[in-house]
């Protein structure tokens, strides 16, 4: 019996030693595995210089704010510092009207004298609305130099001018004379009468 008990004690002691050794081995293996995992994760970062996710988010946020600020600074200095209003170029044109009054107006570059007159309540007719079908926008240019600087009238304009009342050497149709720098300061006279199908004292509406 004493021998059996001794053997049992030795067997239990041996099992306890084996259990502890096995437990230590498992713990060491877990520690080594964790260390290996950390090393594996850190190695690509060290090689490539890639910032961890949290740092990347912070970096991107700051970079975005900085870019937005720079863009605002370079694209107009904020609100209220953009364009400086209407920059359409104009020239001065003077109309001698039928009643003897003289009116000087600003004519936008590229706009016809018929349009300029209507926009400034000057009684230059224009029954065909600039379609070269009448002579009611007949004007007389007061300077031969200015007249000569204009493009020559085409056949359609000449045909209508032949029907105009009070035709002169410097007559043109207002719908065919366009504002340009070359005619800055031009002076126009409106004939005392026009030939059209409207009744007397008709006042055309602006286009």
């Amino acid at each position: 019996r004493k021998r059996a008990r001794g053997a049992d004690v030795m067997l239990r002691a041996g099992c306890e030693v084996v259990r502890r050794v096995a437990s230590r081995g498992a713990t060491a293996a877990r520690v080594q595995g964790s260390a290996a995992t950390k090393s594996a994760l850190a190695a690509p970062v060290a090689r490539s210089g890639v910032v961890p996710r949290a740092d990347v988010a912070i970096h991107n946020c700051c970079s975005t704010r900085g870019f937005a600020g720079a863009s605002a600074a370079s694209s107009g200095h904020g609100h209220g510092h953009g364009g400086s209003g209407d920059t359409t170029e104009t020239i001065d044109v003077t109309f001698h009207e039928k009643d003897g009054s003289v009116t000087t107006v600003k004519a936008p570059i590229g706009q016809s004298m018929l349009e300029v007159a209507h926009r400034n309540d000057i009684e230059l007719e224009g029954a065909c609305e600039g379609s070269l079908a009448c002579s009611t926008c007949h004007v007389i240019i007061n300077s031969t130099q200015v007249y000569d600087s204009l493009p020559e009238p085409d056949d359609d304009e000449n045909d209508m001018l032949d029907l105009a009342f009070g035709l002169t050497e410097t007559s043109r149709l207002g719908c065919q004379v366009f504002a340009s720098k070359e005619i800055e300061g031009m002076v126009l006279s409106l004939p005392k009468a026009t030939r059209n199908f409207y009744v007397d004292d008709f006042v055309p509406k602006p286009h």
Side-chain angles (χ1 to χ4, degrees):
R1 290 180 181 177
K2 289 181 179 179
R3 289 178 181 176
R5 288 178 181 176
D8 186 47
V9 170
M10 291 177 65
L11 180 60
R12 290 180 179 178
C15 289
E16 179 66 19
V17 170
V18 171
R19 186 184 67 77
R20 289 181 180 179
V21 170
S23 177
R24 290 175 183 175
T27 301
R30 286 197 298 273
V31 170
Q32 291 176 357
S34 177
T37 301
K38 290 180 180 179
S39 297
L41 292 173
V45 173
R47 287 196 301 271
S48 64
V50 176
V51 186
R53 286 179 177 270
D55 293 340
V56 168
I58 295 171
H59 174 73
N60 288 344
C61 178
C62 295
S63 298
T64 302
R65 289 177 181 174
F67 176 78
S71 297
S74 63
S75 63
H77 310 289
H79 296 293
H81 295 279
S84 58
D86 187 5
T87 58
T88 302
E89 288 189 276
T90 62
I91 61 171
D92 288 335
V93 177
T94 299
F95 289 86
H96 287 220
E97 301 191 53
K98 297 176 183 179
D99 61 2
S101 60
V102 178
T103 305
T104 300
V105 300
K106 296 290 185 182
I109 298 296
Q111 200 167 91
S112 74
M113 294 303 105
L114 178 62
E115 294 173 298
V116 171
H118 285 184
R119 291 179 185 278
N120 290 277
D121 298 324
I122 294 170
E123 292 186 21
L124 178 62
E125 293 185 30
C128 71
E129 298 186 341
S131 62
L132 282 175
C134 74
S135 62
T136 57
C137 65
H138 172 213
V139 296
I140 300 169
I141 299 172
N142 289 17
S143 166
T144 55
Q145 183 177 355
V146 172
Y147 178 88
D148 291 339
S149 70
L150 295 172
E152 292 187 4
D154 60 19
D155 291 341
D156 290 335
E157 184 179 356
N158 280 325
D159 288 344
M160 291 300 104
L161 284 171
D162 287 341
L163 304 175
F165 178 86
L167 189 66
T168 72
E169 292 294 327
T170 58
S171 290
R172 292 295 301 264
L173 295 184
C175 66
Q176 299 302 303
V177 178
F178 298 92
S180 67
K181 287 295 185 182
E182 290 73 24
I183 58 174
E184 167 69 47
M186 178 173 62
V187 179
L188 304 174
S189 293
L190 306 188
K192 297 295 183 181
T194 58
R195 290 175 178 164
N196 62 50
F197 52 84
Y198 289 112
V199 298
D200 291 340
D201 299 323
F202 171 78
V203 177
K205 294 181 180 179
H207 296 306

